[in-house]
Amino acid sequence: MKELIENRLLELKEKPFSELVELEPCQSEQVSNNGKRVIVSVWKDEVGEGELRIVVQAYRRWFLGIGKMDPQGFLSSRSGEIRDLSKEDLYEFI
């Protein structure tokens, strides 16, 4: 799942700020990863003037609703700066 998240993050980091602003606040899709069904969600919210938080979250269900959820993300500013989010920044997505 980590590679799936990192690939999606790379795609998003390459987009200009003007395209990131146009993303829906949350979008999800089901994908197959090594034969397993994974739900990949992209979260976008404004965290300050001219700054967006983008989080890619992958969830794989195991048994009886128990599963594994992994998030990674970054902050993007209107000026083009990108900063990866720390684990603490991602707690609400776990």
Side-chain angles (χ1 to χ4, degrees):
M1 281 193 339
K2 185 176 180 178
E3 184 178 329
L4 185 65
I5 295 169
E6 288 173 352
N7 288 340
R8 186 66 54 93
L9 276 175
L10 184 59
E11 291 172 15
L12 291 165
K13 284 181 177 180
E14 291 176 351
K15 292 182 182 267
F17 187 87
S18 59
E19 284 186 38
L20 294 175
V21 167
E22 297 299 320
L23 293 174
E24 295 292 323
C26 180
Q27 49 190 330
S28 298
E29 66 177 310
Q30 291 185 29
V31 299
S32 180
N33 184 42
N34 296 328
K36 306 287 184 186
R37 191 177 81 175
V38 177
I39 298 173
V40 177
S41 300
V42 176
W43 300 84
K44 177 214 68 169
D45 60 337
E46 291 188 44
V47 292
E49 178 93 18
E51 190 170 56
L52 298 173
R53 174 175 61 176
I54 307 292
V55 175
V56 176
Q57 176 190 63
Y59 171 73
R60 186 177 75 200
R61 183 176 177 194
W62 286 334
F63 182 71
L64 297 175
I66 298 170
K68 179 175 169 71
M69 188 172 297
D70 288 323
Q72 291 184 36
F74 63 94
L75 291 176
S76 177
S77 69
R78 190 174 304 281
S79 64
E81 293 177 53
I82 292 178
R83 179 180 67 84
D84 289 332
L85 295 173
S86 68
K87 286 187 179 196
E88 291 80 17
D89 294 330
L90 295 166
Y91 282 159
E92 67 187 279
F93 296 94
I94 296 175

